Amino acid sequence: MPIRVASSTDIPDWIALRARLWPGTSRAEHRAEVEEWLAGTPDRCIVFVAVGAERGLLGFAEAALRHDHVNGCETTPVAFLEGIFVRSEMRGTGIGAALVRSVQAWAIERGCTELASDAALANRDSHAFHAAMGFAETERVVFFRKRLGET
Ligand SMILES: CC(C)(COP(=O)(O)OP(=O)(O)OC[C@H]1O[C@@H](n2cnc3c(N)ncnc32)[C@H](O)[C@@H]1OP(=O)(O)O)[C@@H](O)C(=O)NCCC(=O)NCCS
């Protein structure tokens, strides 16, 4: 299936897929975020989409160069897979792998020698996918938050 760089014509489909991956994000926030992604230059970030024979996107991958320290990595900048999603009925057909390969090629062109990613502890499907794509697990992290201004 064709993989190409996302463009403004993809926004509606892309937001629909993002809403399934990150349901806690509002449509307005998704809209603002995709516009920010599209405004980014390829030296900073990239979004690839998988295009089906019919209308509609089958999946997407968002990646960016991170210049701050990335857990488990040794170089900087590190290419980071910020989000990847494939429509559920199309999973297991190689689309996720094709998206990661496109991200890898983009990262190598930018001189990166490491590609990093993360996944929720409970997302075992994603862990298995990452392992199949050649990622090695580096760290398990728990995020904390404390509200300030409260006793
Ligand atoms: C993770 C996800 C992107 C994988 O996409 P996909 O198109 O199904 O992956 P592919 O078909 O290209 O599979 C690539 C490899 O990963 C393996 N893989 C994918 N999903 C797997 C699973 N659930 N369990 C075990 N292996 C899996 C495949 O077997 C394949 O390995 P192979 O090359 O050795 O045959 C997709 O399942 C998805 O969108 N999940 C929901 C969103 C999500 O969790 N995103 C990641 C957030 S960190």
Side-chain angles (χ1 to χ4, degrees):
M1 86 301 312
I3 304 287
R4 59 167 172 76
V5 174
S7 71
S8 55
T9 57
D10 298 316
I11 287 177
D13 279 350
W14 180 12
I15 288 178
L17 296 181
R18 277 180 131 250
R20 292 188 218 172
L21 179 59
W22 297 301
T25 301
S26 72
R27 289 277 163 163
E29 287 168 329
H30 280 303
R31 176 98 204 176
E33 287 175 11
V34 300
E35 283 175 359
E36 200 174 324
W37 277 103
L38 289 176
T41 65
D43 284 337
R44 200 159 55 84
C45 63
I46 197 87
V47 179
F48 289 103
V49 290
V51 186
E54 308 287 318
R55 285 189 69 235
L57 299 182
L58 305 180
F60 72 88
E62 299 173 359
L65 296 188
R66 288 198 183 182
H67 291 266
D68 50 345
H69 174 68
V70 173
N71 292 28
C73 289
E74 297 165 351
T75 59
T76 189
V78 166
F80 202 95
L81 185 61
E82 305 285 353
I84 183 164
F85 183 87
V86 173
R87 267 166 46 179
S88 55
E89 67 275 20
M90 297 302 296
R91 289 178 193 159
T93 64
I95 296 173
L99 288 164
V100 168
R101 280 196 298 272
S102 296
V103 168
Q104 282 177 194
W106 165 81
I108 289 168
E109 279 169 22
R110 257 95 216 141
C112 292
T113 55
E114 291 178 292
L115 174 62
S117 182
D118 59 11
L121 289 177
N123 192 349
R124 301 228 173 158
D125 287 340
S126 176
H127 301 177
F129 168 70
H130 280 85
M133 296 311 302
F135 287 85
E137 182 178 321
T138 55
E139 293 180 22
R140 294 199 168 218
V141 177
V142 178
F143 289 96
F144 294 99
R145 179 183 69 150
K146 179 180 181 182
R147 282 194 188 278
L148 299 180
E150 297 175 357
T151 54

